[in-house]
């Protein structure tokens, strides 16, 4: 069965299990390198977890839509949610931990997403957060 | 996720994790992992060879337990992460607070050296 290019999730952390299946199925269909698919899976997981944990201010309702597309050079993941406005591109990256004792627990998601993406764009539109994550595909082997 | 342990002859407790360390996986091992790393002055090597995916929630468990262990005079090392997991740990800066070793022998030497220096 063909993996759709979009996935709609309810505001429920149990929904994260569908994310991996969707990303890996879509990546296989489109010949996306395994390494790139892993990066998409990881960044999608971090972003959606953050939205579900902080984006709906305790409300049960809420929807998150993800869309995947690709070119020869890039994979593009769009994540749209109707939670509170949050621009992760403007968020300060937590300082690198210095010692185990002084390390702040949490805040790693932003560092991870910035490390594994080529570009992150954000816009607020019609009461929705629209986040675009761009991943670089490794060059295909010459024939 | 699966969690197995082994007490090695050199006094190190080996904790072998297997499976995706995402929210669902971490919830499955979190209590056992935390309990295992709560002993006083324990030296714990966490083998990540069978962990293909590590999300922030899993990092939280590793760091919280490493800190609790350190507060009791113990030490933790991470061993043999797969490439993506190793890159994730480095991206989060965890390698600067919990040492990462390529194999168990190196981890054992590192843990015993850390214990000797307090």
């Amino acid at each position: 069965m063909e993996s759709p290019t979009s996935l709609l999730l309810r505001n429920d952390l149990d929904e994260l299990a569908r994310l991996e299946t969707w990303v890996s199925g879509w990546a296989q269909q489109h010949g996306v390198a395994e390494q790139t698919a892993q990066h998409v899976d990881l960044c999608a997981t971090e972003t959606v977890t953050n939205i579900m944990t902080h984006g709906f201010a305790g409300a049960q309702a809420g929807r998150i839509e993800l869309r995947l597309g690709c070119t020869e050079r890039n994979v593009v993941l769009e994540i749209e949610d109707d939670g509170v406005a949050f621009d992760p591109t403007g968020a300060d990256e937590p300082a690198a931990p210095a010692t185990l004792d002084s390390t702040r627990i949490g805040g790693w998601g932003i560092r991870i997403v910035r490390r594994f993406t080529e570009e992150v764009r954000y816009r607020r539109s019609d009461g929705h957060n629209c986040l675009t994550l761009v991943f670089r595909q490794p060059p295909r082997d010459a024939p | 996720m699966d969690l197995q342990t082994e007490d090695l002859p050199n006094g190190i407790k080996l904790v072998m994790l297997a499976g995706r360390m995402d929210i669902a996986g971490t919830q499955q091992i979190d209590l056992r992992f935390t309990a295992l790393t709560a002993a006083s002055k324990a030296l714990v090597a966490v083998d990540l060879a069978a962990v293909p995916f590590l999300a922030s929630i899993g990092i939280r468990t590793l760091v919280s337990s490493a800190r609790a262990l350190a507060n009791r005079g113990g030490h933790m090392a991470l061993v043999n992460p797969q490439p993506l997991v190793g890159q994730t740990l480095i991206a989060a800066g965890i390698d600067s607070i919990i040492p990462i070793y390529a194999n168990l022998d190196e981890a054992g030497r590192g843990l015993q050296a850390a214990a000797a220096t307090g």
Side-chain angles (χ1 to χ4, degrees):
Chain A
M1 195 171 76
E2 194 163 302
S3 256
T5 56
S6 67
L7 177 71
L8 189 61
L9 299 178
R10 290 177 288 109
N11 175 26
D12 180 346
L13 289 168
D14 287 344
E15 290 273 88
L16 285 166
R18 296 171 56 206
L19 201 50
E20 176 208 1
T21 307
W22 175 65
V23 171
S24 63
W26 180 91
Q28 281 182 10
Q29 277 175 18
H30 292 81
V32 169
E34 184 181 354
Q35 176 186 293
T36 308
Q38 290 175 334
H39 295 175
V40 173
D41 181 14
L42 179 60
C43 292
T45 297
E46 293 295 338
T47 304
V48 171
T49 300
N50 192 59
I51 293 168
M52 288 181 177
T53 307
H54 304 292
F56 296 106
Q60 291 298 310
R63 61 194 290 280
I64 302 165
E65 184 171 4
L66 298 97
R67 293 180 290 275
L68 274 166
C70 64
T71 65
E72 191 169 330
R73 188 180 166 85
N74 295 321
V75 169
V76 179
L77 171 65
E78 294 177 335
I79 304 174
E80 186 173 330
D81 70 83
D82 56 358
V84 297
F86 175 64
D87 177 4
T89 65
D92 288 338
E93 186 167 302
T99 65
L100 193 52
D101 216 31
S102 65
T103 296
R104 174 181 158 233
I105 300 289
W108 300 297
I110 285 179
R111 293 174 62 93
I112 290 169
V113 169
R114 288 179 181 170
R115 161 65 181 77
F116 287 105
T117 51
E118 184 75 10
E119 186 182 352
V120 181
R121 297 191 298 266
Y122 171 83
R123 63 189 167 84
R124 182 79 178 170
S125 176
D126 293 333
H128 288 70
N129 295 302
C130 306
L131 191 68
T132 302
L133 307 181
V134 181
F135 301 83
R136 175 69 60 85
Q137 295 234 59
R140 293 179 194 271
D141 293 337
Chain B
M1 281 195 78
D2 187 41
L3 183 157
Q4 302 285 331
T5 65
E6 186 178 342
D7 291 316
L8 302 179
N10 59 2
I12 288 166
K13 182 177 284 292
L14 174 62
V15 180
M16 292 164 283
L17 299 177
R20 274 175 71 92
M21 216 162 168
D22 53 13
I23 284 187
T26 302
Q27 283 175 345
Q28 289 166 4
I29 56 98
D30 187 61
L31 281 178
R32 286 182 65 203
F33 187 82
T34 304
L36 282 167
T37 55
S40 178
K41 296 186 178 176
L43 302 179
V44 177
V46 182
D47 189 330
L48 296 172
V51 175
F53 180 96
L54 173 67
S56 287
I57 189 79
I59 294 176
R60 177 184 296 265
T61 291
L62 294 175
V63 171
S64 297
S65 295
R67 180 186 283 176
L69 200 54
N71 288 339
R72 294 177 174 85
H75 298 276
M76 179 186 288
L78 305 176
V79 188
N80 197 19
Q82 295 185 23
L84 176 68
V85 170
Q87 291 162 15
T88 304
L89 288 164
I90 291 169
I94 304 306
D95 55 320
S96 65
I97 54 172
I98 308 175
I100 303 173
Y101 296 97
N103 58 60
L104 192 53
D105 286 343
E106 288 180 20
R109 286 194 291 273
L111 284 168
Q112 285 169 336
T117 58

